[in-house]
Amino acid sequence: MHESGIGTPRDRARASTYYEMACTAGDARGCANRAGLADSTGAAVTGAAARRSADVMEKSCASNVETACAMLGTYFESGRGRPQDRRRATELYGRACRADVMEACVSLGALLSNGGAGVTRDRARAVRLFVQGCDAKVAMGCTNLGVAYRRGIGVPVDTSRARDFFAKGCQLGDDEGCRRNKAR
C-alpha cells in the first residue's frame, strides 16, 4: 500500500521498512518485494548491492515466490548480481510465466525471439508469448508484437498490425512503443 499509494500517501521509504521487517521475520515475499523495490528505484543496480538483491531473489524464488523468479531471471540475463547465463534466465522466466507472471512471459519471448548464447531460437513461441503478455496489458508485450509484425519475425509482415500494437504498447506506457508508433 505504501509503495503504490493505495489508501495512503505513497511512501517508498516506509514500504521498504515494512518489507525489510517482513523479510527479517522470514517472509520470502517481503524479501522479494524489498529487493524489487530497491531495483525499481535504482538503488540496487551494480556491485555488492546487485549481488545482495540477487541473493534475496534466489531465496524468494526457492520459496516459490514466482515474481522473484522472474526478477532473478533479469539478473542472469544481464549479468548483474549473477554471472550472465541466458539459459538460466530462460528457465526462470519460463517458471514464472507458467505461474502467470506475464512480464516473465514477455521476457522469455524476447530471449526466444533472438536465441543465441545457449537459448534456442523459437520465434513462433516468442510471438505467442508476446500475444499472451499484450492480452494481459503488459506494454512491452504489445511493443514486441509490433516489432514482430513490422519485421516479419515469426509472423508475416503486416505494417498495419504493427502500428496497432505499437499504439497499444504506447497507450499502456511503453516509451519504445510510443517512439515506434510515431516513426511509422
Side-chain angles (χ1 to χ4, degrees), residues 8-40:
T8 184
R10 186 174 183 171
D11 185 343
R12 288 181 164 212
R14 182 171 279 185
S16 179
T17 299
Y18 287 133
Y19 290 151
E20 186 64 35
M21 289 169 54
C23 183
T24 301
D27 179 33
R29 190 168 304 280
C31 295
N33 288 341
R34 169 64 180 96
L37 178 61
D39 250 12
S40 71

Side-chain angles (χ1 to χ4, degrees), residues 33-184:
N33 288 341
R34 169 64 180 96
L37 178 61
D39 250 12
S40 71
T41 60
V45 293
T46 61
R51 286 189 297 279
R52 281 192 303 275
S53 286
D55 290 345
V56 168
M57 293 300 167
E58 194 94 49
K59 290 175 187 170
S60 298
C61 181
S63 296
N64 298 316
V65 179
E66 302 305 335
T67 55
C69 298
M71 288 188 270
L72 184 60
T74 67
Y75 286 88
F76 278 105
E77 182 179 2
S78 68
R80 185 173 51 98
R82 289 290 183 263
Q84 188 172 31
D85 184 342
R86 290 169 48 106
R87 187 176 319 168
R88 179 74 175 126
T90 300
E91 293 166 3
L92 290 163
Y93 290 148
R95 174 181 169 173
C97 181
R98 286 187 297 278
D100 294 327
V101 179
M102 290 299 122
E103 293 82 358
C105 298
V106 173
S107 295
L108 176 58
L111 283 175
L112 293 174
S113 179
N114 296 321
V119 177
T120 303
R121 180 181 290 161
D122 186 344
R123 290 182 166 166
R125 182 172 176 214
V127 167
R128 289 192 304 274
L129 291 165
F130 296 153
V131 167
Q132 190 176 350
C134 186
D135 287 349
K137 297 187 179 358
V138 176
M140 184 56 72
C142 300
T143 299
N144 287 352
L145 199 49
V147 170
Y149 276 104
R150 165 108 8 114
R151 296 183 182 164
I153 299 172
V155 292
V157 171
D158 186 333
T159 56
S160 177
R161 289 189 81 185
R163 281 191 303 273
D164 291 344
F165 285 115
F166 290 145
K168 186 170 183 181
C170 179
Q171 179 185 14
L172 292 170
D174 182 41
D175 291 339
E176 181 66 15
C178 296
R179 188 185 67 72
R180 289 178 180 271
N181 190 42
K182 288 178 185 174
R184 294 182 189 217

